[in-house]
Coordinates of all heavy atoms in Angstrom, one line a residue:
M26 N 81.7 -233.2 133.4 CA 80.9 -234.0 132.6 C 80.4 -235.2 133.4 O 81.2 -236.0 134.0 CB 81.7 -234.6 131.4 CG 80.9 -235.3 130.4 SD 81.8 -235.6 128.9 CE 81.2 -237.2 128.4
T27 N 79.1 -235.4 133.5 CA 78.6 -236.5 134.3 C 78.1 -237.6 133.4 O 77.5 -237.4 132.4 CB 77.4 -236.0 135.2 OG1 76.5 -235.4 134.3 CG2 77.9 -235.1 136.3
Y28 N 78.5 -238.8 133.7 CA 78.1 -240.0 132.9 C 76.8 -240.6 133.4 O 76.3 -241.5 132.8 CB 79.2 -241.0 132.8 CG 79.5 -241.7 134.1 CD1 78.9 -242.9 134.3 CD2 80.4 -241.2 135.0 CE1 79.2 -243.6 135.5 CE2 80.7 -241.9 136.2 CZ 80.1 -243.1 136.4 OH 80.3 -243.8 137.6
D29 N 76.3 -240.1 134.4 CA 75.0 -240.6 135.0 C 73.9 -240.5 134.0 O 73.0 -241.3 133.9 CB 74.7 -239.9 136.3 CG 75.8 -240.0 137.3 OD1 76.1 -241.2 137.7 OD2 76.4 -239.0 137.7
R30 N 73.8 -239.3 133.3 CA 72.7 -239.1 132.4 C 73.0 -239.5 131.0 O 72.1 -239.3 130.1 CB 72.4 -237.6 132.4 CG 71.8 -237.1 133.8 CD 71.6 -235.7 133.8 NE 71.4 -235.2 135.1 CZ 71.4 -233.9 135.4 NH1 71.6 -233.0 134.5 NH2 71.2 -233.5 136.7
L31 N 74.2 -240.0 130.8 CA 74.6 -240.4 129.4 C 73.8 -241.7 129.0 O 73.8 -242.6 129.7 CB 76.1 -240.6 129.4 CG 76.8 -240.3 128.1 CD1 76.8 -238.8 127.9 CD2 78.2 -240.9 128.1
V32 N 73.2 -241.6 127.8 CA 72.5 -242.8 127.3 C 73.4 -243.5 126.2 O 73.9 -242.9 125.3 CB 71.2 -242.4 126.7 CG1 70.5 -243.6 126.0 CG2 70.3 -241.8 127.8
C33 N 73.4 -244.8 126.3 CA 74.3 -245.6 125.4 C 73.7 -245.6 124.0 O 72.4 -245.8 123.9 CB 74.4 -247.0 126.0 SG 75.3 -248.1 124.9
A34 N 74.5 -245.5 123.0 CA 74.0 -245.5 121.6 C 73.8 -247.0 121.2 O 73.0 -247.2 120.2 CB 75.1 -244.9 120.7
N35 N 74.3 -247.9 121.9 CA 74.2 -249.3 121.6 C 72.9 -250.0 122.1 O 72.2 -250.6 121.4 CB 75.4 -250.1 122.0 CG 75.5 -251.5 121.4 OD1 75.2 -251.7 120.3 ND2 75.8 -252.4 122.3
C36 N 72.6 -249.7 123.4 CA 71.5 -250.4 124.1 C 70.4 -249.4 124.5 O 69.4 -249.8 125.1 CB 72.0 -251.3 125.2 SG 72.7 -250.3 126.6
A37 N 70.7 -248.1 124.4 CA 69.7 -247.0 124.7 C 69.4 -247.0 126.2 O 68.4 -246.4 126.6 CB 68.4 -247.2 123.9
A38 N 70.2 -247.6 127.0 CA 70.0 -247.6 128.5 C 71.1 -246.6 129.0 O 72.1 -246.3 128.4 CB 70.2 -249.0 129.1
P39 N 70.9 -246.1 130.3 CA 71.9 -245.3 130.9 C 73.2 -246.0 131.0 O 73.3 -247.2 131.4 CB 71.3 -245.0 132.2 CG 69.9 -245.2 132.1 CD 69.7 -246.3 131.1
V40 N 74.3 -245.3 130.6 CA 75.6 -245.9 130.6 C 76.0 -246.3 132.0 O 76.7 -247.3 132.2 CB 76.6 -244.9 130.0 CG1 78.1 -245.4 130.2 CG2 76.4 -244.7 128.5
S41 N 75.5 -245.6 133.0 CA 75.9 -245.9 134.4 C 75.4 -247.3 134.8 O 75.9 -247.9 135.8 CB 75.3 -244.8 135.3 OG 73.9 -244.7 135.1
E42 N 74.4 -247.8 134.1 CA 73.9 -249.1 134.5 C 74.7 -250.3 133.9 O 74.7 -251.4 134.4 CB 72.4 -249.3 133.9 CG 71.4 -248.5 134.7 CD 70.0 -248.7 134.2 OE1 69.8 -249.7 133.6 OE2 69.2 -247.8 134.5
G43 N 75.5 -249.9 132.9 CA 76.5 -250.9 132.3 C 75.8 -252.2 131.8 O 76.2 -253.3 132.1
R44 N 74.8 -252.0 131.0 CA 74.0 -253.2 130.5 C 74.7 -253.9 129.4 O 74.5 -255.1 129.2 CB 72.6 -252.7 130.0 CG 71.7 -252.4 131.1 CD 70.3 -252.2 130.6 NE 69.5 -251.6 131.7 CZ 68.2 -251.3 131.5 NH1 67.6 -251.5 130.4 NH2 67.5 -250.8 132.5
C45 N 75.5 -253.2 128.6 CA 76.2 -253.9 127.5 C 77.7 -253.6 127.5 O 78.1 -252.8 128.4 CB 75.6 -253.5 126.1 SG 76.0 -251.8 125.6
R46 N 78.4 -254.2 126.6 CA 79.9 -254.0 126.6 C 80.3 -252.6 126.3 O 81.2 -252.1 126.9 CB 80.5 -254.9 125.5 CG 81.9 -255.3 125.8 CD 82.3 -256.5 125.0 NE 82.1 -256.3 123.6 CZ 82.3 -257.2 122.6 NH1 82.9 -258.3 123.0 NH2 82.1 -257.0 121.4
V47 N 79.5 -251.9 125.4 CA 79.8 -250.5 125.1 C 79.6 -249.6 126.3 O 80.4 -248.8 126.6 CB 78.9 -250.0 123.9 CG1 79.1 -248.6 123.6 CG2 79.1 -250.9 122.7
C48 N 78.5 -249.9 127.1 CA 78.3 -249.1 128.3 C 79.5 -249.3 129.3 O 80.0 -248.3 129.8 CB 77.0 -249.7 129.0 SG 75.5 -249.3 128.2
R49 N 79.8 -250.5 129.5 CA 80.9 -250.8 130.5 C 82.2 -250.2 130.1 O 82.9 -249.6 130.9 CB 81.0 -252.3 130.7 CG 79.9 -252.8 131.6 CD 80.2 -254.2 132.1 NE 80.1 -255.2 131.0 CZ 79.0 -255.8 130.6 NH1 77.9 -255.6 131.2 NH2 79.0 -256.7 129.6
A50 N 82.5 -250.2 128.8 CA 83.8 -249.6 128.3 C 83.8 -248.1 128.5 O 84.7 -247.6 129.0 CB 83.9 -250.0 126.8
S51 N 82.7 -247.5 128.1 CA 82.7 -246.0 128.3 C 82.6 -245.6 129.8 O 83.2 -244.6 130.2 CB 81.5 -245.4 127.5 OG 80.3 -246.0 127.8
R52 N 81.9 -246.4 130.5 CA 81.9 -246.1 132.0 C 83.3 -246.2 132.6 O 83.7 -245.4 133.4 CB 80.9 -247.1 132.7 CG 80.6 -246.7 134.1 CD 79.6 -247.6 134.7 NE 80.0 -249.0 134.7 CZ 79.3 -250.0 135.3 NH1 78.2 -249.8 135.9 NH2 79.8 -251.3 135.3
E53 N 84.0 -247.3 132.2 CA 85.4 -247.4 132.8 C 86.3 -246.3 132.3 O 87.1 -245.8 133.1 CB 86.0 -248.8 132.3 CG 85.7 -249.9 133.2 CD 86.3 -251.2 132.7 OE1 87.4 -251.2 132.1 OE2 85.7 -252.2 132.9
R54 N 86.1 -245.9 131.1 CA 86.9 -244.8 130.5 C 86.7 -243.5 131.3 O 87.6 -242.8 131.7 CB 86.6 -244.6 129.1 CG 87.7 -243.9 128.3 CD 87.5 -243.8 126.8 NE 86.2 -243.2 126.5 CZ 85.3 -243.7 125.7 NH1 85.5 -244.8 125.1 NH2 84.2 -243.1 125.5
M55 N 85.4 -243.2 131.6 CA 85.1 -242.0 132.3 C 85.5 -242.1 133.7 O 85.9 -241.1 134.3 CB 83.5 -241.8 132.2 CG 83.2 -241.3 130.8 SD 81.4 -241.0 130.7 CE 81.3 -241.1 128.9
Q56 N 85.4 -243.3 134.3 CA 85.9 -243.4 135.7 C 87.4 -243.1 135.8 O 87.9 -242.5 136.7 CB 85.6 -244.8 136.3 CG 84.1 -244.8 136.7 CD 83.7 -246.2 137.2 OE1 84.4 -247.2 136.9 NE2 82.6 -246.3 137.9
E57 N 88.1 -243.6 134.8 CA 89.6 -243.4 134.7 C 89.8 -241.9 134.6 O 90.7 -241.3 135.2 CB 90.2 -244.1 133.5 CG 90.5 -245.5 133.9 CD 91.0 -246.3 132.6 OE1 91.5 -245.6 131.7 OE2 90.9 -247.5 132.6
Q58 N 89.1 -241.2 133.7 CA 89.2 -239.8 133.5 C 89.0 -239.0 134.9 O 89.7 -238.1 135.2 CB 88.3 -239.3 132.5 CG 88.8 -239.6 131.1 CD 87.9 -239.2 130.0 OE1 86.7 -238.7 130.3 NE2 88.3 -239.3 128.7
G59 N 87.9 -239.5 135.6 CA 87.6 -238.8 136.9 C 88.7 -239.1 137.9 O 89.1 -238.2 138.6
L60 N 89.3 -240.3 137.8 CA 90.4 -240.6 138.7 C 91.6 -239.7 138.4 O 92.2 -239.1 139.3 CB 90.8 -242.0 138.5 CG 91.8 -242.6 139.5 CD1 91.0 -242.9 140.8 CD2 92.4 -243.9 139.0
F61 N 91.9 -239.5 137.1 CA 93.1 -238.6 136.8 C 92.8 -237.2 137.1 O 93.7 -236.4 137.5 CB 93.4 -238.8 135.3 CG 94.2 -240.0 135.0 CD1 93.7 -241.0 134.1 CD2 95.4 -240.3 135.6 CE1 94.4 -242.1 133.8 CE2 96.0 -241.5 135.4 CZ 95.6 -242.4 134.5
A62 N 91.5 -236.8 136.9 CA 91.2 -235.4 137.3 C 91.3 -235.1 138.7 O 91.7 -234.1 139.2 CB 89.7 -235.1 136.8
G63 N 91.1 -236.2 139.6 CA 91.2 -236.0 141.0 C 92.7 -236.2 141.4 O 93.1 -235.6 142.5
L64 N 93.4 -236.8 140.6 CA 94.8 -237.1 141.0 C 95.7 -235.9 140.6 O 96.6 -235.6 141.4 CB 95.3 -238.4 140.2 CG 96.6 -239.0 140.7 CD1 96.3 -239.8 142.0 CD2 97.1 -240.0 139.7
N65 N 95.5 -235.3 139.5 CA 96.4 -234.3 139.0 C 96.6 -233.1 140.0 O 97.7 -232.7 140.2 CB 95.9 -233.8 137.6 CG 96.4 -234.7 136.5 OD1 97.3 -235.5 136.8 ND2 95.8 -234.6 135.4
P66 N 95.5 -232.5 140.6 CA 95.8 -231.4 141.5 C 96.6 -231.8 142.7 O 97.5 -231.1 143.1 CB 94.3 -231.0 141.9 CG 93.5 -231.5 140.9 CD 94.1 -232.7 140.3
A67 N 96.4 -233.0 143.2 CA 97.2 -233.5 144.3 C 98.7 -233.7 143.9 O 99.6 -233.3 144.6 CB 96.7 -234.8 144.8
M68 N 98.9 -234.1 142.6 CA 100.2 -234.3 142.1 C 100.9 -233.0 142.0 O 102.1 -232.8 142.2 CB 100.2 -235.1 140.8 CG 100.2 -236.6 141.0 SD 100.2 -237.5 139.5 CE 101.9 -237.2 139.0
L69 N 100.1 -232.0 141.5 CA 100.7 -230.6 141.3 C 101.1 -230.0 142.6 O 102.2 -229.4 142.7 CB 99.6 -229.7 140.6 CG 99.5 -229.9 139.1 CD1 98.3 -229.1 138.6 CD2 100.8 -229.4 138.4
I70 N 100.3 -230.2 143.6 CA 100.6 -229.7 145.0 C 101.9 -230.4 145.5 O 102.8 -229.7 146.0 CB 99.4 -229.9 145.9 CG1 98.3 -229.0 145.5 CG2 99.8 -229.7 147.4 CD1 97.0 -229.3 146.2
A71 N 102.0 -231.7 145.3 CA 103.2 -232.5 145.7 C 104.4 -231.9 145.0 O 105.5 -231.8 145.6 CB 103.0 -233.9 145.5
L72 N 104.3 -231.7 143.7 CA 105.4 -231.2 143.0 C 105.8 -229.8 143.5 O 107.0 -229.5 143.6 CB 105.0 -231.1 141.5 CG 105.2 -232.4 140.7 CD1 104.6 -232.3 139.3 CD2 106.6 -232.8 140.6
M73 N 104.8 -229.0 143.8 CA 105.1 -227.6 144.3 C 105.8 -227.7 145.6 O 106.8 -226.9 145.9 CB 103.8 -226.8 144.4 CG 103.5 -226.1 143.1 SD 101.9 -225.2 143.3 CE 102.4 -224.0 144.5
V74 N 105.4 -228.6 146.5 CA 106.0 -228.8 147.8 C 107.5 -229.2 147.6 O 108.4 -228.7 148.2 CB 105.3 -229.8 148.6 CG1 106.1 -230.2 149.8 CG2 103.9 -229.2 149.0
I75 N 107.7 -230.1 146.7 CA 109.1 -230.6 146.4 C 110.0 -229.4 145.9 O 111.1 -229.2 146.3 CB 109.1 -231.8 145.4 CG1 108.5 -233.0 146.1 CG2 110.5 -232.1 144.9 CD1 108.1 -234.1 145.1
L76 N 109.4 -228.6 145.0 CA 110.1 -227.5 144.4 C 110.4 -226.5 145.4 O 111.6 -226.0 145.5 CB 109.2 -226.9 143.3 CG 109.9 -226.0 142.3 CD1 110.6 -226.9 141.3 CD2 108.9 -225.2 141.5
V77 N 109.5 -226.2 146.3 CA 109.7 -225.2 147.4 C 110.8 -225.7 148.3 O 111.7 -225.0 148.8 CB 108.4 -224.9 148.1 CG1 108.7 -224.1 149.4 CG2 107.5 -224.1 147.2
A78 N 110.8 -227.0 148.6 CA 111.7 -227.6 149.5 C 113.1 -227.5 148.9 O 114.1 -227.2 149.6 CB 111.4 -229.0 149.8
A79 N 113.2 -227.8 147.6 CA 114.5 -227.8 146.9 C 115.0 -226.3 146.9 O 116.2 -226.1 147.1 CB 114.3 -228.3 145.5
L80 N 114.2 -225.4 146.6 CA 114.6 -224.0 146.6 C 115.1 -223.5 148.0 O 116.1 -222.8 148.1 CB 113.4 -223.1 146.2 CG 113.2 -223.0 144.7 CD1 111.9 -222.3 144.4 CD2 114.3 -222.3 144.0
A81 N 114.3 -224.0 149.0 CA 114.7 -223.6 150.4 C 116.1 -224.2 150.7 O 116.9 -223.6 151.4 CB 113.7 -224.2 151.4
L82 N 116.3 -225.4 150.3 CA 117.6 -226.1 150.5 C 118.7 -225.3 149.8 O 119.8 -225.1 150.4 CB 117.5 -227.5 150.0 CG 118.5 -228.5 150.5 CD1 118.1 -228.9 152.0 CD2 118.6 -229.8 149.7
L83 N 118.5 -224.9 148.5 CA 119.5 -224.2 147.8 C 119.7 -222.8 148.4 O 120.9 -222.4 148.6 CB 118.9 -224.0 146.4 CG 119.1 -225.1 145.4 CD1 118.4 -224.9 144.1 CD2 120.6 -225.4 145.1
A84 N 118.7 -222.2 148.9 CA 118.9 -220.9 149.5 C 119.7 -221.0 150.8 O 120.5 -220.2 151.2 CB 117.5 -220.3 149.8
H85 N 119.4 -222.1 151.5 CA 120.1 -222.4 152.8 C 121.6 -222.7 152.5 O 122.5 -222.2 153.3 CB 119.5 -223.6 153.5 CG 120.0 -223.9 154.8 ND1 119.7 -223.1 155.9 CD2 120.8 -224.9 155.3 CE1 120.4 -223.6 157.0 NE2 121.0 -224.6 156.6
Q86 N 121.9 -223.4 151.4 CA 123.3 -223.7 151.1 C 124.0 -222.4 150.6 O 125.2 -222.3 150.8 CB 123.3 -224.8 150.0 CG 123.1 -226.2 150.6 CD 123.1 -227.2 149.6 OE1 123.0 -226.9 148.4 NE2 123.1 -228.5 150.0
A87 N 123.3 -221.5 150.0 CA 123.9 -220.3 149.4 C 124.3 -219.4 150.5 O 125.3 -218.7 150.4 CB 122.9 -219.6 148.5
V88 N 123.6 -219.4 151.6 CA 123.9 -218.5 152.7 C 125.1 -219.0 153.6 O 125.7 -219.9 153.5 CB 122.7 -218.3 153.6 CG1 123.1 -217.5 154.9 CG2 121.6 -217.5 152.8
Ligands
ZN121 ZN1 75.0 -250.0 126.3

């Protein structure tokens, strides 16, 4: 979802321009969502790396 083309219901200007308080609020919210969307895959990879390392450690101790 791109917020560049989104038009504000309050001031009828593009939300990306942030002309009114409603624009800025929704723009911030969408930027946060974008941040979390970019953060989650990296966190998942980090978790997988930790999980694999823990499994490797357990396997090493079992032998
Ligand atoms: Zn607005």
